């Protein structure tokens, strides 16, 4: 069985590609590369085809994560059947995702920070506006760690 995880933010150039890369690194380190498929997407369409933001590139480079194939794409209806988990970064993303989600979809739709209950932040702030990529990195890492743990427990990996 392959568990499929899609990270979603507004533009798919900052938070969701950071989560995609950092989660992939954690999955690889856990030896689960063949069991978990990972992607990211946007709710908005103005960055389509663009690589991650330079701030996200710097974070991923620091962790030795290759982002050369990452390009912003728009979430679509098929994603709600193609993925088991659709993970948003903030309340605005979640509202957009809830509106897009087909009624018959059984996808797990949650915020990344739902998987980091020890954190005081309930959302991952957008560093495109805050400029604080270090805080985003810290929160994304905590959320990804908790998500991986939840998946491992649920699917006995």
């Amino acid at each position: 069985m392959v568990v499929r995880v899609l990270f979603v933010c507004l533009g798919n150039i900052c938070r969701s590609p950071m989560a995609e890369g950092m989660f992939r690194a954690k999955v690889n380190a856990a030896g689960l590369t063949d069991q978990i498929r990972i992607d990211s997407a946007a709710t908005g369409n103005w960055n389509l085809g663009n690589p991650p933001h330079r701030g996200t590139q710097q974070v991923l480079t620091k962790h030795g994560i290759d982002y050369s194939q990452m390009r912003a794409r728009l979430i679509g209806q098929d994603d709600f059947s193609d993925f088991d988990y659709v993970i948003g970064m903030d309340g605005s993303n979640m509202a957009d995702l809830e509106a897009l989600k087909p009624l018959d979809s059984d996808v797990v739709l949650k915020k990344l920070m739902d998987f980091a209950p020890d954190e005081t932040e309930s959302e991952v702030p957008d560093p495109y506006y805050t400029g604080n990529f270090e805080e985003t990195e810290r929160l994304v890492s905590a959320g990804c760690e908790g998500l991986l743990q939840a998946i491992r427990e649920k699917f006995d990996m």
Side-chain angles (χ1 to χ4, degrees):
M1 173 182 193
V2 175
V3 178
R4 300 148 311 164
V5 179
L6 180 66
F7 295 100
V8 181
C9 69
L10 184 61
N12 194 210
I13 60 168
C14 292
R15 297 170 291 174
S16 57
M18 186 184 296
E20 175 187 350
M22 292 179 79
F23 190 66
R24 184 171 286 118
K26 291 176 188 301
V27 165
N28 290 348
L32 298 171
T33 304
D34 294 337
Q35 293 173 275
I36 302 176
R37 193 180 108 214
I38 308 151
D39 197 2
S40 63
T43 59
N45 64 5
W46 48 89
N47 289 306
L48 301 184
N50 290 341
H53 185 283
R54 59 179 159 48
T56 293
Q57 290 181 16
Q58 290 170 347
V59 168
L60 295 176
T61 298
K62 180 173 86 174
H63 291 279
I65 298 168
D66 179 21
Y67 56 83
S68 63
Q69 301 302 310
M70 291 183 185
R71 292 293 178 270
R73 74 171 184 89
L74 192 62
I75 189 167
Q77 289 286 313
D78 289 350
D79 289 317
F80 291 94
S81 57
D82 291 347
F83 289 89
D84 302 297
Y85 289 81
V86 174
I87 307 297
M89 298 294 146
D90 61 31
S92 177
N93 302 154
M94 295 305 291
D96 290 341
L97 292 169
E98 288 286 356
L100 288 170
K101 180 183 166 195
L103 294 175
D104 62 348
S105 172
D106 59 355
V107 72
V108 174
L109 184 57
K110 292 190 174 240
K111 281 192 300 191
L112 182 60
M113 296 315 294
D114 292 344
F115 296 97
D118 296 339
E119 290 291 336
T120 55
E121 296 289 333
S122 64
E123 300 188 339
V124 179
D126 192 341
Y128 186 84
Y129 300 105
T130 67
N132 192 343
F133 283 85
E134 295 78 20
E135 175 70 354
T136 299
E137 173 188 0
R138 186 182 71 75
L139 294 171
V140 164
S141 182
C144 285
E145 196 66 44
L147 175 59
L148 181 56
Q149 181 179 338
I151 289 171
R152 291 185 80 166
E153 288 172 7
K154 181 175 180 176
F155 296 98
D156 198 28
M157 294 180 174

